[in-house]
Amino acid sequence: MSRIKEFNLPDLGEGLTEGEILAWLVKVGDVIELNQPIVEVETAKAAVEIPAKWAGEVRSIFHPEGTTVEVGTPIIAIDTDPGAGPLPESTTAAASADLPTPSAASLAAVQVAPAEGMVEPGLIGGVAPGGRTAVLVGYGPRNGPAKRRQRKDGPPQQPATTPRPAAPAQVATPVAATPVAPASVAAVAPASVAPTVNGNGRAGGPVLAKPPVRKFAKDLGIDLATLTGSGPLGSITRDDVQRAVDGSTVVAEPLAATSPTTSAASFGADREQRIPVKGVRRLTAENMSRSAFTAPHVTEFLTVDVTRAMKALDRLRGRREWRDVRVSPLLLVAKAVLLAVRRHPMVNSTWAGDEIVVKEYVNLGIAAATERGLIVPNIKDAGRLTLRELADAMTGLVQTAKAGRTSPADMSGGTLTITNVGVFGVDTGTPILPPGESAILAFGAVRELPWVHKGKVKPRQVTTLGLSFDHRIIDGELGSKFLRDIGDFLADPEAALLAWT
């Protein structure tokens, strides 16, 4: 049995097909232990450290950092018994070293066997008569030297042959010819002495201008070759032509190599950045596109006075058992959502084509913005947690996401999501449903605004909620009641708890 074992990139779950190698945690020559993390890989969902399947010495690393590797591809070779001495030389290599080098004639006589699945002659992609390849319509180009058609007004063309270098004597020796008439010389000289200037401000070449600009100049009798273009790459614009009509244009002159020039603004690839779409960004794009064009979205908004909720949070922070707990408005929003789901369980469901699956558990997703993009990890069975357990779970979830350590399991199976756009100073939004979910709530910023309270206008803490839902499952009445219950809890948490529990 071979001591060298190749470790393939494993399937990290959810049917992932590839991953990007972010960082190697070992190098060639390192002695590693069983289950020791050896590489950090970013999948379409998260960055994951992969442990070693065997203990031993790292002999080879097949892919550098930044490479995208398909699942099942070898990424590292490990010597599982480095203490057994040096590895024996490959017998295959030794045998091949003794083989004589084949001659060109013998290589030319070798006939390659057709590969499995090769297309039969005459079919599309196969060999056709004359050595050509059959394509969708007709045949591809014929093999062999190209042939020119004979011109009607000229002498017959000679068959195309391989060009041969001219003899030095023929190049250096002047050719005697009939003297050229002075008139002919005079006719040619002006073209070489006074070159024309194009839209680039350079001698020779076509004028750069769009067809509408050319027509505009032609109608006004303006010669484009006399203008200096101010557009991209020195092209002539409509304004350049208009300035020529007004008499304020400068006639183009050939550019001097010694005089400094100011180039026009460039709008090409040199001022563009191309970012590969991969990993979390690609997964997010695929999910959002699929959801937006599959589930009919409806979004409703509700503005709520949350002054009492903010005061309740202050009292909660002051309690001794809560002093080390991170308490934020998002905690009360999550509790409000969980209590509203109990009153309207149809909101926590999934469209399954021929049926609607209503779930008795709530895997509450919390959208988190990370350096790698937007991810939505979820708290499993959040409805069974106490408020203190929910606070701890949310804190751990956010910290793990920002550190890039969220596992694929934590991002799968979500049933309902909250996105806190208020942390960016935004009032609310129209969020897109994560695939497989029927509702998502946008929680906006809490602001001090004038509000009518007990018949008087007073400054109050106000926020705006935005609820998007799948209209195949949730109709307007159900969505409105669900959103209203969330608002009622945030307006008066103590009264809602007493009334609903």
Side-chain angles (χ1 to χ4, degrees), residues 388-482:
R388 172 60 186 269
E389 293 171 340
L390 183 62
D392 292 339
M394 291 177 61
T395 301
L397 179 146
V398 174
Q399 291 177 349
T400 302
K402 290 185 176 180
R405 303 300 180 187
T406 304
S407 66
D410 290 337
M411 290 187 289
S412 60
T415 62
L416 197 148
T417 296
I418 301 174
T419 175
N420 184 11
V421 297
V423 296
F424 307 110
V426 176
D427 291 330
T428 190
T430 56
I432 298 178
L433 294 168
E437 300 183 18
S438 61
I440 178 173
L441 179 73
F443 174 40
V446 178
R447 305 182 186 276
E448 189 174 61
L449 298 175
W451 193 266
V452 178
H453 178 67
K454 296 182 180 180
K456 297 181 180 180
V457 177
K458 297 182 178 180
R460 305 286 287 180
Q461 299 291 319
V462 179
T463 189
T464 301
L465 306 173
L467 178 70
S468 293
F469 52 86
D470 187 343
H471 213 2
R472 297 174 300 181
I473 303 174
I474 304 173
D475 56 22
E477 180 183 7
L478 176 58
S480 300
K481 288 182 177 179
F482 179 72

Side-chain angles (χ1 to χ4, degrees), residues 159-168 170-171:
T161 58
T162 303
R164 298 187 180 184
Q170 295 177 351
V171 176

Side-chain angles (χ1 to χ4, degrees), residues 243-258:
R243 283 194 294 269
V245 175
D246 298 338
S248 59
T249 186
V250 179
V251 177
E253 296 180 358
L255 295 179
T258 58

